[in-house]
Amino acid sequence: MKTRVTELLGIEYPIIQGGMAWVATHELASAVSNAGGLGIIGAGGAPASWVREQIQAAKKETDKPFGVNLMLMNPEADEIAKVLVEEKVKVVTTGAGNPAKYMDMWKAAGIKVIPVVASVALAKLMERGGADAVVAEGTESGGHIGSQTTMTLVPQVVDAVSIPVIAAGGIADGRGFAAAMMLGAEAVQMGTRFVVAEESTVHENYKDRIIKAKDIDSEVTGMSTGHPIRVIRNKMTREYLKLEKEGATLDELEHLTLGALRKAVVEGDVMYGSVMAGQSAGLVKKKETCAEIIADVMNTAQKLLNR
Ligand code: TUI
């Protein structure tokens, strides 16, 4: 399928893998790129040296384009922004902030810049700043989220900018893909479904928890801290939400979540860890290779769109 996004990125299918902290390693990114989508390495909160190693490993595993997501709250964000230029990364997505201060440097290096936005205002600002496309991410997504739903955000961003829009949040199959196209998107970004991919290196307990998840199993922590994070409900979230309701301090809340994502992804502690996932977890039913996931999404979508 050809869209402005496949042309821009030089990929076969308009499917981008979310740049998930701790989850989106070079193994997952190169598998998605080799399957014809755009794989993304997620810098998350990792040091710049780790990001460089991941990029170098991915280059050995694929000759197709791949990208890196810079999570802008990373304390080494400035350094990572430079590593992306030095390593000649082709595509950068950003999350959890405004990447304006890096835009000129990245554009001068010929990098395709695709900020993730959760509002029309930021989408317009990013277009003015030289972004090549935007990911419009709805509140159905996992991890750090905005408040608009995908259904309402995507068409409003499409109307507000001329650059291509990539839809994210709640999309995990060909039906979601087709719906996103109807809203005016020219590609989709999927995270949760790729967490469960065979090539994903996350702990099996994490994958099993997503596969087991029902529609209502996610909730949002951190509303009061200004950093709302969607995760699968467990002992940690119950404790967190109780403390949040009782007016706990930022310090107390942070103590509970500190290292919690690592605990879930690496140690497989899905009771006390932070099991970030989108509302689409209820749609994810089995472990498959990235190639099988992409083929399934595209087959269903093509049938629906050609009707
Ligand atoms: O970034 C994400 N999702 C993430 S990042 C992450 S790691 C993390 N861990 C602990 C605390 C915070 C983050 C887990 N999941 N998605 C992209 C995204 N960006 N969604 C929403 C936004 C966003 C929100 C506010 C982008 C910009 C923004 O404000 C811009 C401004 O003006 O500062």
Side-chain angles (χ1 to χ4, degrees), residues 111-138:
I111 295 174
K112 305 284 186 257
V113 185
I114 309 182
V116 179
V117 301
S119 70
V120 166
L122 193 61
K124 285 163 94 168
L125 195 65
M126 294 298 101
E127 178 177 51
R128 279 206 299 279
D132 295 283
V134 288
V135 176
E137 192 185 271

Side-chain angles (χ1 to χ4, degrees), residues 54-71:
Q54 292 285 314
I55 294 166
Q56 291 173 351
K59 283 177 187 164
K60 293 199 182 92
E61 292 160 357
T62 185
D63 51 14
K64 302 249 171 73
F66 66 89
V68 174
N69 176 270
L70 175 56
M71 204 279 283

Side-chain angles (χ1 to χ4, degrees), residues 18-24 41-46 50 69 71 202 206 261 265 276:
M20 303 163 282
W22 284 102
V23 172
I41 293 164
W50 182 88
N69 176 270
M71 204 279 283
V202 315
Y206 201 118
L261 180 57
V265 171
M276 293 188 192

Side-chain angles (χ1 to χ4, degrees), residues 117-292:
V117 301
S119 70
V120 166
L122 193 61
K124 285 163 94 168
L125 195 65
M126 294 298 101
E127 178 177 51
R128 279 206 299 279
D132 295 283
V134 288
V135 176
E137 192 185 271
T139 193
E140 296 95 321
S141 299
H144 184 84
I145 49 171
S147 54
Q148 289 284 117
T149 61
T150 301
M151 181 78 93
T152 56
L153 178 67
V154 171
Q156 291 184 81
V157 172
V158 166
D159 286 345
V161 300
S162 317
I163 52 177
V165 176
I166 298 158
I171 302 165
D173 61 21
R175 295 169 297 181
F177 180 106
M181 295 294 137
M182 292 293 157
L183 297 177
E186 296 186 58
V188 300
Q189 176 182 278
M190 299 196 302
T192 304
R193 185 146 181 202
F194 283 121
V195 174
V196 169
E198 300 277 4
E199 296 93 337
S200 153
T201 59
V202 315
H203 198 287
E204 289 298 307
N205 293 354
Y206 201 118
K207 295 185 184 180
D208 292 341
R209 185 64 193 88
I210 288 176
I211 287 170
K212 211 179 73 184
K214 296 192 293 292
D215 53 352
I216 56 171
D217 282 358
S218 83
E219 62 191 354
V220 181
T221 61
M223 284 291 200
S224 68
T225 68
H227 297 135
I229 306 266
R230 183 179 300 284
V231 289
I232 303 275
R233 186 183 299 108
N234 61 11
K235 291 213 161 80
M236 186 277 288
T237 64
R238 284 203 184 88
E239 178 69 6
Y240 189 104
L241 292 172
K242 184 165 154 269
L243 284 174
E244 210 175 5
K245 220 158 96 192
E246 290 167 5
T249 64
L250 268 181
D251 266 7
E252 287 170 312
L253 290 172
E254 226 148 62
H255 183 74
L256 204 60
T257 53
L258 217 60
L261 180 57
R262 186 193 164 279
K263 196 188 281 187
V265 171
V266 181
E267 294 168 19
D269 184 349
V270 296
M271 292 299 262
Y272 292 96
S274 177
V275 185
M276 293 188 192
Q279 291 185 334
S280 69
L283 285 168
V284 178
K285 296 282 181 268
K286 56 176 192 269
K287 291 170 201 163
E288 292 166 293
T289 64
C290 292
E292 287 167 337

